[in-house]
Amino acid sequence: QVQLVESGGGLVQPGGSLRLSCAASGSIFRINVMGWHRQAPGKERELVAGISDVFTHYADSVKGRFTISRDNAKNTVYLQMNNLKPEDTAVYYCNADGVHSGGYGRRFNSWGQGTQVTVSS
């Protein structure tokens, strides 16, 4: 099993900043891709940003405002969110895709429990 634990959400005023963290633990041999998704009330879950060893990807709506980074030694991914807008309000979920330890090459795709980000004055 692979567990993801997010932290760093909260209430912030428009124009403010937050930093989300997500730490993965468990039977991990390698994590290929980590990412952040979000889901606002009444809307579908959408990809915000993703990162691997060779690429980073951002949704158009967050380019220039959000930065995703990763600490491979800690199996942790971060999302620095600047110039937050009310439309960024959502539950943010961490996702990790990789390979289990144990030598059989079994893949995993795990999700965190979500952390609430609210942007409001």
Side-chain angles (χ1 to χ4, degrees):
Q1 295 291 335
V2 175
Q3 298 81 35
L4 303 181
V5 178
E6 300 123 333
S7 60
L11 173 65
V12 64
Q13 293 186 343
S17 298
L18 283 174
R19 188 188 192 216
L20 305 182
S21 300
C22 171
S25 63
S27 58
I28 300 170
F29 173 70
R30 181 181 69 244
I31 297 178
N32 296 322
V33 181
M34 297 189 83
W36 290 95
H37 296 67
R38 67 186 181 187
Q39 188 166 19
K43 295 187 177 181
E44 294 187 353
R45 190 173 297 189
E46 63 174 351
L47 174 65
V48 175
I51 186 169
S52 74
D53 286 341
V54 296
F55 78 86
T56 56
H57 171 80
Y58 296 95
D60 288 343
S61 58
V62 306
K63 283 181 180 177
R65 300 188 297 122
F66 291 10
T67 302
I68 190 170
S69 60
R70 180 175 166 181
D71 185 335
N72 289 333
K74 297 181 179 180
N75 286 332
T76 298
V77 65
Y78 306 95
L79 187 68
Q80 178 66 44
M81 304 185 294
N82 298 329
N83 190 21
L84 283 159
K85 304 176 180 181
E87 51 263 43
D88 295 317
T89 296
V91 178
Y92 284 69
Y93 297 91
C94 176
N95 174 260
D97 183 275
V99 180
H100 279 294
S101 58
Y104 296 99
R106 289 185 303 118
R107 297 285 299 271
F108 68 84
N109 188 285
S110 297
W111 290 86
Q113 79 286 354
T115 185
Q116 178 70 47
V117 171
T118 302
V119 184
S120 175
S121 55

